[in-house]
Structure formats: C-alpha cells, structure tokens
Amino acid sequence: MLRFTRLEQPKTLEEADALAKRNKLAPLLGSGCWLRLAKRKWPLVIDLSLCGLDYIRVEEGQLCIGSMVTQRQIEENEVCRSLADGAFVKAIHAILGVQFRNMATIGGSIAGRFGFSDIWPVFLALHGQVVLADNTVLSAESYAAYRERHIIKEIRFDLTAPKVASLALRKSNADFPYITGAIRLDNHKYEIYIGGRPGIATKAQATSQIVAEEGLDGLPMAMDKVKEELTFQSNSHASESYRKAMAAVLVKRLVEEVNV
Amino acid sequence: MSLTLQLNVNGQLYTVQAAPDEMLLTTLRNLGLYSVRCGCDTTNCGLCTIWVDGEIILSCAYLTVRAQGHTITTLEGLKEEAAFLGECLASEGADQCGYCTTGMMMSVMALRRKKAHPTDQEIKDFLVGNLCRCTGYQSQLRGIRKYLEAMAQ
Ligand SMILES: Cc1cc2nc3c(=O)[nH]c(=O)nc-3n(C[C@H](O)[C@H](O)[C@H](O)COP(=O)(O)OP(=O)(O)OC[C@H]3O[C@@H](n4cnc5c(N)ncnc54)[C@H](O)[C@@H]3O)c2cc1C
Ligand code: FES
Ligand code: FES
C-alpha cells in the first residue's frame, strides 16, 4: 500500500528538481507501483506526473523517451518498436500485464536499478543513456553504479543500434525473471550482459571476449566462463547453482539469437 | 488532510473527498461501484481493472488524485455490453467462482475497441494480467471469441 501524508505535484521539471533537492528523503513518484510495496508511510511524496515528462521524440538521430512514459506507450510507439529490430520492446512486453504496463514508467524502471529487471540488460546492450534533470548525460553503465539521487528527465538511444538480442527466464508467465540477459554484436565485437543473479545486469567481460575471439566454436568455453566470472546468489526465485546453470544456457541462446 | 476532487466516472461528474494517498479502487467502491474489487492489492491479479481514458489500468495502484481531468469507466458504465459478454462467458462455462470475471470483462471490452478481430495470441497477450484460478482459461477464450464474433456483425 502506497502511504503518505502530503503530495506535491510540481508543474515543471525545474520545480520538481528544486523540491527534490529540498526534500532529499521524499520519494519521486513514477507510477508508484513499486514504491507501494514498501511497508512505510512517507511524510511527503513528489509526483512527477504533471511535469511534461511523457514524451517520445527523435532528436539528432537519438530516440528520447521522457521518464514518465509508460512501458505500454513504449511498446506501442513505432520508433521504439523498430529500435534494434524490436529487442527493446520485446523485453518490456514480458512484464506482467497490459494494465500494469499502462502504469509503470520507464523512469521508475531505470531508477529502480532492479536486479530482476527485464529492461536493464537490453538498456545496457543498446548503450542507452540517462539524462538527469540538470541535463547531465550518463551512460547506462555509469548510471547503474551512480549512487546520488537525481530526477531522471529522459533516457536516450542511438537510432543506429547494432544487432541486440535479449532473453529472460522465468518460472511462469508474468512472474519475476530469475535470470535475464542481453547481447550486442557490433562489428564482430560481442558484449554480453547478465542480470537477475539476482544483482543488477552487468557485463560478462571475459565471456564476451571468448565469443568475440572464438565465435560459435568458443561457446562451450564461454558457457563455463560466465559461471565463474559473475557472482550468483540464491533467493526465493532460484538457487545460486540453478542460476549459474541457466546463465550458461542464456549465453548460448543469446549468441545463437544474435547470429540469426 | 483530505482533498476535494472532481471525477468523471461513467459519464457522471462526482465531487469526492479523498486522502492524498487514496487509490481509485477505494474511491470508486465508496461511490457504490462494487464491480471494482480488490484481489491482491499488489498489481498482480487484474481484478481491479478499470479504464482511464479508455486504457485499462489497475485501480488498486492508481492514485485518485491523478484521476482528475480523466474519463473513468467501470463495468457499471458498460452495462448492456457487459451483460452480453457475461452471457457469452456463461454459455461456455467460463465463470466458476466468478471472482475474476469483472476485471477480465473490462480488459476484453477494451481489447475489442482496440482490435475488433484479434488472433487467439493477441487475446492471450492482452489478458495476461487477468488471473483466473478456476477455469484454465480455455472456456474464457471460447466465450470471448463468441462475444467478439457477435459484436463484429
Ligand atoms: C508486482 C511487480 C512485478 C514486477 N515484475 C517485473 C518484471 O517481471 N520485470 C521487470 O523488468 N520489472 C518488473 N517490475 C518492475 C516494474 O516493471 C517497474 O520497473 C517498477 O514498477 C518501477 O516503475 P514505477 O513507475 O512503478 O516506479 P515507482 O514505483 O514510481 O518508483 C520506483 C523508484 O524509482 C524512483 N523514480 C521514479 N521515477 C523516477 C524518475 N523520473 N527519476 C528518478 N527516480 C525515479 C522512485 O523514487 C522509486 O525509488 C515489477 C513491479 C511490480 C510492482
Ligand atoms: S487488486 Fe489490483 S491487481 Fe490485484
Ligand atoms: S472463475 Fe474463479 S477465479 Fe476465475
């Protein structure tokens, strides 16, 4: 249950930014679908829904998606659908149901840096960018490790994305995935990202290197490497050893899919 | 502190008092719209599905204060069509305990407005957020097909 005493509804991003800086502990409200799972009552919440952050536009060869755009709006937008042959939209489509995706925002999905995120691996593989309220631009990789709290204004992608594929494994449809991954193939260079370990998606550097150097012949070696190079843990969705085994399978499937 | 809000529900204007953190589910039930029900309260089951500006959302997670200036529709606002859909579902044995039915019907009627002739896969994709613990979904699919075919004529 989302519980709070006072709600501020700033009408501009600047106003919201000033409020957020003055009230460092007040949550920024995307859809609130995630925030509402917390069992506490906040004195103040800052609603971003009236700040004009619900746009999708193309500027100078980049796709710019305002942070209050819903997952469903992305799924239905033609430019987003065509990004990397649909890899971005495919990742979003796997999340719960249409009702939920009509509410959950891309800003909350990126800011949450969820380990189980279907979106984060493909966001990394697409070399997405995060633009903060003060127009600071961070790469997806830097934002994953960024610890300060700032409002996300928008996320961006180059429209000329190379081949990217993403996959997630879940026990049943609409459940949280227990392992996620994405791959980027750019001029014989591979980048493989694995999430849901259960930590946030991260690059499997050595695994990517093996596939780049050995091609499909190097797959058995890459499948072993991913198990030792990344950290895996157990939680209610899967054990550490199961995650390791399935991460190896994911690497194989990702390499095969991006080479189709 | 409660807020005074103007809501447009099923074509009627209401003035309501709501706490800033009140969800639309609660507000609508307080207005006597009991088709809107709470199943999980964690955005998982789809039972609380309503329309905001024709799009399906989960009223258990939608702040009432955000509903101002939008058009809200519940099953009560779609009475005749809902009754016909109900008949189609019942004729295929698609409601057992019936608990999931109201939310599922809101999704089905929204789907028809977006796509009059969806494939089975498109129906399944659109309804994935409406859980049913009784039917196994096959009878629902048959009932929905019956409804869509009749409405398309
Ligand atoms: C039941 C459930 C199941 C889910 N299953 C999946 C799944 O299978 N796969 C998946 O990928 N995701 C899943 N999610 C996560 C979901 O897809 C969204 O990513 C999540 O709900 C966050 O989006 P939101 O709009 O609800 O954010 P909120 O709940 O509003 O916010 C989440 C966090 O982000 C911050 N925030 C919000 N907007 C901004 C902004 N513009 N700038 C800076 N900070 C901001 C908030 O302060 C908060 O800390 C699930 C969520 C729920 C509740
Ligand atoms: S009560 Fe809203 S999704 Fe279950
Ligand atoms: S008929 Fe019982 S939950 Fe669907």
Side-chain angles (χ1 to χ4, degrees), chain B residues 7 14 18 35 37 48 54 58-59 72 87 91 94 117 119-120 138:
Chain B
L7 297 183
Y14 292 90
S35 74
R37 285 181 283 160
C48 64
L58 301 167
S59 59
I72 300 153
E87 279 168 29
S91 69
H117 303 283
T119 61
D120 281 358
Q138 292 310 308

Side-chain angles (χ1 to χ4, degrees), chain A residues 186-207:
Chain A
D186 193 0
N187 205 12
H188 302 293
K189 194 171 159 246
Y190 286 86
E191 287 174 20
I192 297 170
Y193 297 88
I194 303 290
R197 298 164 293 103
I200 186 170
T202 189
K203 196 193 287 177
Q205 196 87 43
T207 310

Side-chain angles (χ1 to χ4, degrees), chain A residues 28 30-35 67 71 96 105 109 111 118 152 170 176:
Chain A
L28 305 163
S31 80
C33 285
W34 186 259
L35 274 172
S67 61
Q71 295 175 350
L96 284 176
T105 63
S109 305
D118 284 274
I152 298 178
R170 28 178 47 91
F176 290 107

Side-chain angles (χ1 to χ4, degrees), chain B residues 67-134:
Chain B
Q68 281 204 112
H70 297 281
T71 304
I72 300 153
T73 311
T74 70
L75 199 73
E76 287 84 351
L78 297 159
K79 258 191 193 136
E80 280 173 29
E81 187 177 341
F84 177 64
L85 172 55
E87 279 168 29
C88 293
L89 292 169
S91 69
E92 292 296 335
D95 60 339
Q96 291 183 23
C97 77
Y99 202 66
C100 66
T101 310
T102 49
M104 187 260 291
M105 286 168 86
M106 290 306 287
S107 295
V108 173
M109 289 187 284
L111 171 63
R112 185 180 75 81
R113 282 156 177 78
K114 291 185 187 296
K115 196 145 200 180
H117 303 283
T119 61
D120 281 358
Q121 190 54 48
E122 284 168 336
I123 296 174
K124 288 178 191 170
D125 275 355
F126 203 81
L127 296 185
V128 76
N130 289 94
L131 300 185
C132 172
R133 283 293 170 258
C134 301

Side-chain angles (χ1 to χ4, degrees), chain A residues 1-5 7 9 29-31 33 36 47 49 68 72 93 96-100 102-103 173, chain B residues 20-21 23 41-44 46 49 55-58 60-63 65-66 107 125-126 128-130:
Chain A
M1 178 80 91
L2 181 60
R3 300 191 64 225
F4 53 86
T5 311
L7 178 72
Q9 293 193 296
L29 196 62
S31 80
C33 285
R36 72 194 296 281
D47 181 5
S49 68
M68 287 301 286
R72 182 74 177 162
H93 186 73
L96 284 176
V98 173
Q99 300 96 320
F100 182 83
N102 265 331
M103 301 168 71
N173 210 354
Chain B
D21 59 357
M23 294 296 166
D41 204 21
T42 57
T43 65
N44 280 290
T49 302
E55 299 292 340
I56 51 174
I57 59 103
L58 301 167
C60 71
Y62 194 97
L63 287 171
V65 66
R66 281 189 174 177
S107 295
D125 275 355
F126 203 81
V128 76
N130 289 94

